[in-house]
Amino acid sequence: MQAKLKIQNLHLHFGKKEILKGISLEMPDNAITALIGPSGCGKSTLLRSINRMHDLNPNAHLSGQIMLDGKNILGKTQDVTSIRRRVGMVFQKPNPFPKSIFENVAYGLKINGEHHPQRLREQVEKALRESFLWEEVHDQLDKSALELSGGQQQRLCIARAIAVEPEVLLMDEPCSALDPISTDKIEQLMLRLRERFCIVIVTHNMQQAQRVADFTAFMYLGDLIEHNRTSDIFNNPQQELTRNYVSGIFG
């Protein structure tokens, strides 16, 4: 499968402490890659590196390359706003804006210059339909997004992210705060969205990784230990550390 994202020898330091230790990893288009590993191993840190979020930390220093369609998005001449439009992000805890459901989804579209009322309505509806939320909220788009349930809020945040048509969708433990029914809806949504996006998820849920991910990367203490098809990682791991983690010996 063709790599949409290619990470090459990525190092990240916060001050003198090395957090990511030379990560090299390819993530295909139209597939889901899961990042697994114990807490503090660098999974979410890697995800935020792809979205250039560490630019906001003056103590962060990145070296190496993150190639998106063959171009290094860490280059100093790269426009960070443009990168974040191409690389959407969904966080662990749903973070809807204190605005209406409609305005939440339209927010990114307006920032990117879309102000035509009819086109906004069409694109908001499309994103809500793709997020399996339209049937639940179509008659209450003026309602505050903060009144939605946790699962609905998370699907709304996904709708907000995909409304601007990104190429990559990053999801940092998107189901960790949700009940089983909402988790199932988000997982079904991920499986549908991979037809259009390169998706990278961080998860602590081994069963979830096996249910949705095409590829899985196991990280430990800032190192990438093993990366392979998900079935191989869980059924035939090549590294003893991976075997011990997926079998529950530690983690």
Side-chain angles (χ1 to χ4, degrees):
M1 301 178 72
Q2 184 175 355
K4 182 71 174 181
L5 281 168
K6 185 180 292 186
I7 299 172
Q8 298 177 322
N9 196 31
L10 186 70
H11 292 262
L12 172 65
H13 289 80
F14 286 148
K16 294 182 179 180
K17 185 176 182 180
E18 187 174 28
I19 307 298
L20 299 177
K21 304 173 182 178
I23 303 293
S24 293
L25 177 65
E26 293 189 4
M27 300 168 180
D29 205 0
N30 305 120
I32 299 174
T33 299
L35 304 179
I36 65 171
S39 297
C41 71
K43 305 182 301 296
S44 295
T45 301
L46 177 59
L47 210 67
R48 284 163 168 74
S49 299
I50 299 171
N51 203 40
R52 293 283 299 266
M53 292 187 68
H54 298 308
D55 289 24
L56 304 174
N57 186 336
N59 294 317
H61 175 70
L62 273 169
S63 64
Q65 295 183 321
I66 300 177
M67 311 296 288
L68 175 59
D69 287 335
K71 293 185 178 180
N72 183 19
I73 63 174
L74 297 182
K76 294 182 179 179
T77 60
Q78 293 290 324
D79 179 63
V80 176
T81 301
S82 175
I83 291 169
R84 290 179 182 151
R85 189 194 67 77
R86 298 177 66 191
V87 182
M89 185 86 175
V90 177
F91 296 93
Q92 178 177 0
K93 183 179 180 181
N95 61 338
F97 302 142
K99 299 173 180 288
S100 70
I101 294 169
F102 182 91
E103 287 300 327
N104 263 268
V105 183
Y107 182 81
L109 295 166
K110 291 180 177 180
I111 285 180
N112 284 281
E114 181 59 81
H115 296 286
H116 189 278
Q118 181 62 28
R119 285 195 292 269
L120 277 174
R121 284 194 295 271
E122 290 172 355
Q123 289 173 278
V124 167
E125 178 177 343
K126 179 183 177 185
L128 288 170
R129 285 188 180 278
E130 290 178 333
S131 301
F132 296 155
L133 194 55
W134 176 255
E135 296 301 324
E136 298 171 36
V137 303
H138 70 277
D139 57 349
Q140 47 188 327
L141 296 180
D142 292 331
K143 177 180 177 180
S144 170
L146 301 179
E147 297 179 31
L148 297 173
S149 71
Q152 288 176 322
Q153 287 186 8
Q154 190 66 297
R155 280 181 283 149
L156 179 68
C157 292
I158 294 172
R160 188 175 66 198
I162 66 176
V164 296
E165 297 289 337
E167 299 164 46
V168 177
L169 187 60
L170 309 175
M171 308 180 82
D172 191 357
E173 296 195 66
C175 303
S176 66
L178 304 181
D179 61 83
I181 293 175
S182 296
T183 294
D184 180 65
K185 289 182 179 180
I186 298 293
E187 289 180 357
Q188 294 304 314
L189 174 55
M190 285 190 276
L191 291 171
R192 177 174 171 176
L193 291 177
R194 74 173 169 186
E195 298 174 6
R196 293 177 46 213
F197 304 109
C198 166
I199 299 178
V200 186
I201 68 168
V202 167
T203 181
H204 277 106
N205 188 323
M206 298 298 97
Q207 291 73 33
Q208 181 175 75
Q210 293 177 78
R211 286 193 297 265
V212 304
D214 302 285
F215 299 89
T216 296
F218 169 55
M219 297 179 65
Y220 184 70
L221 298 179
D223 285 309
L224 176 63
I225 305 301
E226 190 168 348
H227 172 230
N228 209 334
R229 289 192 174 273
T230 297
S231 57
D232 291 322
I233 289 290
F234 285 95
N235 299 321
N236 188 31
Q238 300 302 299
Q239 302 297 323
E240 183 179 1
L241 198 60
T242 309
R243 188 177 304 111
N244 291 341
Y245 181 74
V246 300
S247 63
I249 292 178
F250 77 98

